[in-house]
Amino acid sequence: RIMPVRWSRYNPSYLEPEVKKESYQKPLEELTEEEREQMELKAVRPIKAAPPTVSSSVFSDPMISKFTNMMMKSGNKVLARSLMCQTLEAIKRKQLEKYHKAPENEKETIECNPYVIFHQALKNCQPIIGLSNITKGGKTYQVPVPLTDNRKRFLAMKWLITECRENKHRRTMMPEKLSQELLLAFNNEGPVIKRKHVLHKMAEANRAYAHFRWW
Amino acid sequence: QLDHGCALHTAARGGLSSVSPQDVLAERPRAVFHTSESDPAKHTEQHEGRLYSIPLEEVKAVFPHGLPYRFQQQIQTFNEARLMVRRPALELLTYLKSSNLAHPAVRYVIYGERGTGKTMTLCHVVHYCSRQGWLVLHIPDAHLWVKNCKELLQSSYNKDRLDQPLQASVWLRNFKISNERFLQEIKTQKKYTWGKRESTEEGRPLGEVVEQGLARVRSASDAVGVVLREIKQQSHRGSFRLLVAVDGVNALWGRTTLRKEDKSPVSPEELTLVHNLRKMVRNDWSGGAIVTTLSQTGSLFKPSSAYTPHELLGKEGFDALDPFVPIPVANYSPKEFESCYGYYLERKWLQHEKAHTEDGKAELQFLSGSNPRQLDRLAGPL
């Protein structure tokens, strides 16, 4: 019987697997010293099993996988992935229709690639500074605090998803809502960008408590 | 004598003449997988694997119903309707061109695995026939008549049968759009009484029967039955040629998911629409052809791996359709895959940077298995 384990229990000598095809197609002469040492180490040490979320497909994107995982409910990855695909297709259709109807000089400004729109929208939604609750002398203060990259990405994705789930009409489908939100965020408009600005303003207002932070 | 030269409607004819000169110039760089021949009558083996376009006005006139939903979305996004010319369709077109209309109608059954292009082959044939001026009786999906019916009325004509007013009125509306000029030219041969005060005299144009069916929704199924009967009786005279195109013909002989008010299951014979359609698909009339498609996707109580005629039609259906010409439809050949991939690239449908590379193309071919539907679904998010 296989017992599920939350944290990985591999021996520290196990190395991460390298999934991308390009790294194996480089001829020996082009590798630097470190890469040659790394290859020799891999020949000797055991390697961990690749997780099912990582794929060697040229079309896989770690950000999209992370976003799909966050959209997933009760482990239904099939549904989450199909919703993500439908969202990307919806963005592409809307942009292509706009592209074909636009006059010649405006055609270069319209971005049709859904991946570029997705990444740019996420980047636009990421806050620069966050707030954290610090209790001092019995009172809790909201203190402005720098955020790590992971935390910024997580907050951007979380805001997008909650915005779509809660503040829209009950009967609209998720791909439709999400594509609309992503296009608005790509153009720096929309409720998610507004939420980011509100957070920035709160942080600016609570500037006086910044010295409460000790890390 | 009805005029069936080449055109359908004057509106569509205006769109046809604009095909040749600009297209020859614009299509020289992309000549590999496109063809400027938009008349299906002139498609030959040298056009195999290439895509031809149907002018949008013609699409609205010929296909008010019948195109798959994803294809309709594609037409709207790309602003053009492009259909691939494939071998099964070319085979069917040669059979139709060389068929003797004095003989009883030949039945063709298009079969194949899921997503290989049976419905699109049927649409190609329907386009050819409407270009040639045939009367096209196109039932987009027979499965819609045996499931999910909200209203079932007891038929006034025959106590045992059940009517479906909604489905019948939708079909009559679309039939009217696609075959307007025939409705004025075909006359009824018998007097039909629709109720206490409404009746259609002998010798009135068929358009009146259709109007009656649309106006009085309760008698829409009977109107459909009358239309089918009149058309079948008059087709042998030779004044028009008839094409009966049914998609999902295995619905006519399977089971239904409908129930009567006392919760007993309804069998397909008890539905007027299905009963009349079965009479249409029998080969006891001459002056046309019957082209049908088997479909597992909408079918009821059939396993998903079933695709051959015997499995999907069952014994009853196979015996009813028995002397038929089977036409198998397979996945894309390498040349067809290349042309479909090139079309998507040219229309900017494949936006991912890696999709333009050789690796991306090989991966798409592997993941889809050259199946047209899978390729379309994979290329969607990319």
Side-chain angles (χ1 to χ4, degrees), chain B residues 161-180:
Chain B
R161 295 204 215 129
L162 295 163
D163 263 359
Q164 285 155 304
L166 295 169
Q167 275 90 339
S169 56
V170 161
W171 186 81
L172 275 175
R173 207 177 311 140
N174 291 327
F175 179 68
K176 191 172 144 192
I177 298 174
S178 57
N179 288 314
E180 285 209 47

Side-chain angles (χ1 to χ4, degrees), chain A residues 21-22 57-59 85 88-89 92-93 96-97 99-100 112-115, chain B residues 70 73-74 77 347-349 351-355 360 363 379-382:
Chain A
K21 262 194 274 186
E22 286 96 37
S57 153
V58 289
F59 302 122
C85 292
L88 292 169
E89 196 178 330
K92 194 166 40 158
R93 266 190 216 277
L96 270 179
E97 274 176 35
Y99 179 86
H100 285 301
C112 289
N113 191 339
Y115 294 87
Chain B
R70 276 199 75 94
Q73 280 183 319
Q74 190 180 309
T77 314
R347 276 277 131 189
K348 299 190 195 298
W349 186 237
Q351 285 277 334
H352 197 156
E353 321 71 59
K354 294 292 170 105
E363 190 167 323
L382 286 177

